[in-house]
Amino acid sequence: MTAEAAAHGGRSGRGFGGFSPETLVSAGRTFIIRRATEADVPALVALLRDDVLGAARETGAARETAAAAVGRAAAASGSASASPGAEEADPYARAFALIDADPNQLLVAVTEAAVQDHVGSTVVGTLQLSLLPSLSRQGTLRLQIEAVRIGAAAQGVGLGTAVFEWAHECGRRVGAGLAQLTTDKSRTDAQRFYDRLGYVASHEGLKRPLG
């Protein structure tokens, strides 16, 4: 399993502003890691929903207010069949716009190189990287890794490990000194996976809805 960067063309701007697509090779298969576009939103949301916990988070009350932005993005990509419905999309569209405009955020789409030209139907993974400046730890810049999903078509080939190794190196290149993530307490398999990657469950993560 190897990871190699495609031509970067320099790291201009702040944060992830100079990010260019990169290549990962895992189990003989070649994947492209690139910045997600608005046209990818339906596929990314589908990956988030294809999960026991994610299905609950991305449906129900959220579904009633959320399938319109996904619908617009799907229409733009020519894949209307992936749309959850026109009335559901606005929250996803707003979130994507905020992420895309922020140089300290990188929303990633992972595609398989052999079929990368068919972007709308070949997204096999996603994750979001956030750079968090902090005074603590002597001003250490933190790399937050969230919303990691590898689709069924790309599971079992070591892609999850390769993606995390890539994320860690990406963080180092932009000056991050610490990687952190959160995971639901019920995800025991994920916790074992993170342990193998060197993560330590050193803190209790707490969440509180503000609605």
Side-chain angles (χ1 to χ4, degrees):
M1 177 167 41
T2 63
E4 63 175 307
H8 282 287
R11 295 198 302 268
S12 60
R14 298 186 299 119
F16 299 111
F19 177 77
S20 297
E22 302 189 23
T23 302
L24 290 180
V25 179
S26 187
R29 294 167 64 176
T30 301
F31 301 90
I32 305 298
I33 291 187
R34 59 172 175 78
R35 188 184 298 274
T37 67
E38 185 176 7
D40 293 317
V41 171
L44 302 186
V45 173
L47 284 171
L48 294 176
R49 286 179 172 174
D50 189 20
D51 171 88
V52 173
L53 295 177
R57 293 169 182 165
E58 306 303 326
T59 55
R63 170 175 288 181
E64 295 173 2
T65 58
V70 175
R72 281 200 305 272
S77 68
S79 57
S81 61
S83 167
E87 74 286 355
E88 206 179 274
D90 288 345
Y92 295 113
R94 287 197 298 270
F96 175 82
L98 288 170
I99 294 167
D100 197 50
D102 186 344
N104 285 321
Q105 305 290 332
L106 178 61
L107 180 62
V108 160
V110 183
T111 62
E112 190 151 11
V115 287
Q116 64 180 310
D117 291 337
H118 306 289
V119 174
S121 61
T122 62
V123 175
V124 297
T126 185
L127 74 158
Q128 182 174 342
L129 304 182
S130 302
L131 293 176
L132 307 178
S134 174
L135 291 179
S136 66
R137 294 177 180 260
Q138 301 180 30
T140 296
L141 181 66
R142 302 178 185 221
L143 177 72
Q144 182 81 15
I145 305 175
E146 292 292 342
V148 183
R149 295 289 190 278
I150 302 297
Q155 292 179 7
V157 298
L159 182 59
T161 298
V163 163
F164 266 90
E165 291 174 348
W166 165 83
H168 297 157
E169 180 55 31
C170 185
R172 292 186 193 101
R173 292 199 304 263
V174 296
L178 179 72
Q180 60 187 35
L181 54 80
T182 63
T183 185
D184 193 278
K185 289 185 176 182
S186 68
R187 295 188 187 275
T188 54
D189 288 344
Q191 291 160 28
R192 286 191 289 269
F193 172 71
Y194 298 138
D195 182 68
R196 291 196 298 272
L197 292 176
Y199 285 86
V200 177
S202 58
H203 293 66
E204 285 286 338
L206 308 176
K207 298 182 186 293
R208 183 188 189 280
L210 297 179

